[in-house]
Amino acid sequence: VNLSEVEVVRRIRRHAGKPAGLVLGIGDDCAVFRPRHGEDLVFTTDLFIEDVHFERGWPAPALGRRTLARGLSDIAAMGADPRFCLLSLALPERPGTRWLDGYFRGFLEWGVPLAGGDLSRSSKLTADIVVCGSVPKGKALRRDGARAGDAIFVSGRLGGAAAGGFQADPQPRLALGRYLRGRATACMDLSDGLSTDLHRLAEASRLAAEISAPPIAEDATPEQALHGGEDYELLFTANPDLNIRTQFRGLPLTRIGTMRKGKPGTVFLDGRPLPPLGYDHFARSVARR
Amino acid sequence: VNLSEVEVVRRIRRHAGKPAGLVLGIGDDCAVFRPRHGEDLVFTTDLFIEDVHFERGWPAPALGRRTLARGLSDIAAMGADPRFCLLSLALPERPGTRWLDGYFRGFLEWGVPLAGGDLSRSSKLTADIVVCGSVPKGKALRRDGARAGDAIFVSGRLGGAAAGGFQADPQPRLALGRYLRGRATACMDLSDGLSTDLHRLAEASRLAAEISAPPIAEDATPEQALHGGEDYELLFTANPDLNIRTQFRGLPLTRIGTMRKGKPGTVFLDGRPLPPLGYDHFARSVARR
C-alpha cells in the first residue's frame, strides 16, 4: 500500500505518540515547546543521505535508528538530555506502510519524542534531523573550556568503525555525557577521527595537545584509531587532580594525554606533530561516505 | 576558488556574525540557546530541494533568501518572533566563494541569526532549515482554537503564485502574525491552497467552515485563488465581535466566512462542499514542484 502525504503524516503522528514535554506536537505550522526555568537548550542537526551516508539496501528499521544516532551523539557531547526531535524526510516515491512503520520503529527506539518535521519528494532518500537537548543553565560541555595542564581522555576503543568500513550502529554516550557535566572542562564526540577532532578541541580552547597512542579497537590499525571517523566515543578534558573513573558502566575511560600552552590546534603524538587527517565532505580522495 | 569543508564552515561562521541571544553559535557539537523566563518556543523545519522546489539555474542570493522564507512564514503563522535558525546544506560539489557568499547574503537578509547546522555532499542541492521562534507563554496561534461563530479571514489576495507558475519570493507575514497574537483564535499560513489549508484548520478545530470567494490576485483565476498553493498569506479566525482591521500596513485583511458546527474539516463555498484540492507531494498528477 502506497500512501498519500496526508496518510503519511497521520501515520507518523500515530507513531510519534504523546509528545511528552511538548505543548504542541505534529500537525500545526510549528511545534510548541515550553522550556523549564533555569535550563539552557542545545541544538544539533544531522543530514543522512542515500549514496552518501548509506545505501538503498539498508533495512528500514536500521535507517530509522541511524537517522537519529549521530545527532544524539552530539547531544551526549554537550552533557545534555535529549528532549525532542524534528525530522525532515524526502523520499523518492510514495512510501509503503511496511517501510514507513519499520523506519519509525527504528527512529523511535531511542525514546526521543518526535515533535514535527517536513515531508517532500527527492531523487535520493534524504533525512535531516534536529535534536533539542537541555542542560542546567551554563553547564553545557563546550569545546573551548580546556585549560593548560588538563588531562585528555577518550571513552571506549578507537578505529573500529574505520576497520569495519563504516559504523552501522553508533551508540550515543548519553549517560557518560551526563556524568561528565560539571567534571569535564571540554568535551566533543569523535565523528571525524581523533587527529581532526582533537585538533578542533585544542583550537577552540586556544591550546596545543600532547597525546600517546589511544586505545585501539579489535581489528583496527593504529592509523585507523588516530584518523578513522565515526567512532562516536567522547573526547574530553578534565582537571588532572579530578578523580575520573577508569570505567563508566563497562566503558573504559582512558587518559591519553595533556593540554599544553602552544600554537592553538597543534596536536603532538609522542612528541611529533600529528596532522588532522580526518574527514572532509568535499575532499575527493575520500570515498568513505 | 573551491573550498574545503573547514573553509566553508569558517566562511559561513563569518557570514553568520555574532549570534544575538545565543550562548554559543556555530563551531561546537551543538548550538546553545538560553530561553527567557515565561516564553514558549516554536519550531518548524522546511526542506528546499533542487528539481523539486527549485532549479539549478537560480541565482545564489535568491536560493539563499528562499531557503528561509517558508520557515519564517510558519513562524509568522504562530504569531511568533524568529529567534535563530539552523541550516543543513548538502551540495553536489565543493562550493566556490562567490556562490557561497551570494547564498548567505540572501539567507541572512532576513536578519535571523544562524546558530549552526550540518554540511554534506549530495547529488542534488538540498537545504533543510529549522527556525526557532518565541511567543509569550500560552500565546502561540494554533490551528485548533477556532470556535463556532468565529469569523474567517485571509490576508492579501490569493492565487498569485499559482497564476505565475510558482512563488519566487514569499513574504512571511511576521508583523501581521504578531498583531494577531491575542486577537486570532486560530491561524495558519496558506502554503498548500485555501481549500486544503482551511480544511486542515477546520479539522483541527473540530468544526466546519462556510466561505464565499476569497479576494483574487491580479491575473489569477477563481480556481487558482481557491486551490493554488504557495501564497504564504495568513488564514485566521477571530471572534466576530472583535474589531479586526480591514488593512494591516497596506495589506488587505478580508473576512471570507464563518466557522460553524458540522462535520470536522468540511468546507462550504457559497453553500456547496469545497473539496481539498491542494498539494500532495506524492500525488503524481501534480508536477508543480
Side-chain angles (χ1 to χ4, degrees):
Chain A
V1 188
N2 290 331
L3 303 170
S4 73
E5 185 168 358
V6 170
E7 291 162 338
V8 170
V9 172
R10 191 171 296 148
R11 209 159 178 101
I12 293 174
R13 211 167 163 171
R14 206 183 313 147
H15 280 289
K18 209 169 163 27
L22 286 162
V23 178
L24 187 60
I26 296 169
D28 214 301
D29 296 291
C30 292
V32 182
F33 177 76
R34 183 160 297 163
R36 298 176 196 140
H37 187 56
E39 73 181 358
D40 283 345
L41 299 177
V42 306
F43 293 92
T44 185
T45 71
D46 197 45
L47 282 160
F48 191 54
I49 304 177
E50 185 181 336
D51 293 340
V52 178
H53 303 97
F54 67 93
E55 276 148 42
R56 180 82 58 123
W58 281 33
L63 284 177
R65 192 175 158 78
R66 183 58 201 272
T67 299
L68 203 51
R70 287 173 63 196
L72 287 176
S73 181
D74 286 326
I75 297 292
M78 303 300 284
D81 296 299
R83 298 290 292 280
F84 67 89
C85 63
L86 303 159
L87 170 66
S88 291
L89 193 60
L91 301 168
E93 60 219 6
R94 284 172 184 260
T97 54
R98 229 187 118 203
W99 187 90
L100 205 67
D101 291 349
Y103 182 85
F104 280 96
R105 198 168 60 245
F107 188 93
L108 294 165
E109 260 176 30
W110 299 109
V112 181
L114 176 59
D118 193 22
L119 208 53
S120 181
R121 276 190 303 110
S122 168
S123 55
K124 304 280 181 185
L125 197 158
T126 300
D128 186 43
I129 53 97
V130 188
V131 192
C132 172
S134 65
V135 283
K137 195 168 158 177
K139 297 292 183 201
L141 298 174
R142 304 161 54 139
R143 297 179 182 184
D144 60 3
R147 285 164 297 203
D150 277 358
I152 305 169
F153 295 86
V154 292
S155 67
R157 302 177 176 283
L158 308 185
F166 70 106
Q167 173 58 274
D169 193 19
Q171 299 298 323
R173 302 301 187 195
L174 288 161
L176 175 59
R178 268 192 297 272
Y179 164 73
L180 293 176
R181 213 152 72 189
R183 289 186 171 90
T185 50
C187 184
M188 65 185 294
D189 72 330
L190 287 168
S191 55
D192 291 339
L194 178 63
S195 64
T196 295
D197 289 330
L198 180 53
H199 158 73
R200 288 173 181 158
L201 186 150
E203 193 174 45
S205 294
R206 316 303 299 157
L207 292 170
E210 287 179 3
I211 59 166
S212 306
I216 299 176
E218 217 176 320
D219 301 327
T221 65
E223 289 296 297
Q224 286 169 331
L226 287 171
H227 306 299
E230 300 200 300
D231 282 320
Y232 300 107
E233 295 293 350
L234 294 186
L235 168 69
F236 60 96
T237 61
N239 187 306
D241 299 333
L242 193 73
N243 192 15
I244 294 286
R245 304 182 192 180
T246 56
Q247 283 220 351
F248 179 85
R249 301 189 188 175
L251 187 69
L253 303 183
T254 309
R255 178 169 178 178
I256 59 166
T258 305
M259 300 301 294
R260 299 282 186 212
K261 286 188 181 168
K263 186 170 172 247
T266 324
V267 178
F268 296 93
L269 173 69
D270 298 327
R272 291 185 189 181
L274 180 72
L277 295 180
Y279 191 70
D280 179 336
H281 272 100
F282 301 114
R284 269 165 217 140
S285 55
V286 183
R288 184 162 49 87
R289 42 176 170 176
Chain B
V1 187
N2 289 330
L3 302 170
S4 75
E5 184 167 0
V6 171
E7 291 162 336
V8 169
V9 172
R10 193 172 296 148
R11 209 160 178 98
I12 293 174
R13 212 166 161 171
R14 206 183 312 148
H15 279 290
K18 210 175 164 24
L22 286 161
V23 178
L24 187 61
I26 296 170
D28 214 302
D29 296 291
C30 292
V32 183
F33 177 77
R34 183 160 297 161
R36 298 177 196 139
H37 187 56
E39 71 181 358
D40 283 345
L41 298 178
V42 305
F43 294 92
T44 185
T45 72
D46 196 46
L47 282 160
F48 190 54
I49 304 178
E50 185 181 336
D51 293 341
V52 179
H53 303 96
F54 67 93
E55 276 148 41
R56 180 80 59 121
W58 281 33
L63 284 176
R65 191 176 159 78
R66 182 59 200 271
T67 298
L68 204 50
R70 287 173 62 195
L72 287 176
S73 181
D74 286 326
I75 297 292
M78 302 301 284
D81 295 298
R83 298 291 291 281
F84 69 88
C85 63
L86 303 159
L87 170 67
S88 291
L89 192 59
L91 301 168
E93 59 221 5
R94 283 172 184 260
T97 54
R98 229 187 117 203
W99 187 90
L100 206 67
D101 290 349
Y103 182 83
F104 280 97
R105 199 168 59 244
F107 188 92
L108 294 166
E109 261 175 28
W110 298 109
V112 181
L114 176 60
D118 193 21
L119 208 53
S120 181
R121 276 190 303 109
S122 169
S123 56
K124 304 281 182 186
L125 198 158
T126 300
D128 186 43
I129 53 99
V130 188
V131 191
C132 171
S134 65
V135 282
K137 196 167 156 177
K139 297 294 182 201
L141 299 174
R142 304 161 55 141
R143 297 180 182 184
D144 60 3
R147 286 165 297 205
D150 277 357
I152 305 169
F153 295 85
V154 292
S155 66
R157 302 177 176 282
L158 308 185
F166 70 107
Q167 174 57 276
D169 192 20
Q171 300 299 324
R173 301 302 186 194
L174 289 160
L176 176 60
R178 269 192 297 272
Y179 165 74
L180 293 176
R181 214 151 73 190
R183 290 187 171 90
T185 50
C187 183
M188 66 185 294
D189 72 329
L190 287 168
S191 55
D192 291 340
L194 178 64
S195 65
T196 295
D197 289 329
L198 181 54
H199 159 73
R200 290 173 181 158
L201 187 149
E203 194 174 45
S205 295
R206 318 300 300 154
L207 292 171
E210 286 179 4
I211 58 167
S212 307
I216 299 177
E218 217 175 320
D219 301 329
T221 66
E223 288 297 299
Q224 287 169 330
L226 286 171
H227 305 300
E230 300 201 298
D231 282 320
Y232 300 107
E233 296 293 349
L234 295 186
L235 168 69
F236 59 96
T237 59
N239 187 306
D241 298 332
L242 193 72
N243 191 14
I244 293 286
R245 304 183 193 180
T246 55
Q247 284 220 349
F248 179 83
R249 300 189 187 176
L251 187 70
L253 304 183
T254 309
R255 178 169 178 178
I256 59 167
T258 304
M259 301 301 294
R260 300 280 185 214
K261 288 189 180 167
K263 187 171 172 244
T266 323
V267 179
F268 296 93
L269 173 69
D270 298 327
R272 290 185 190 181
L274 180 72
L277 294 180
Y279 192 70
D280 179 335
H281 273 100
F282 301 113
R284 266 163 219 141
S285 56
V286 182
R288 184 162 50 87
R289 41 177 172 174

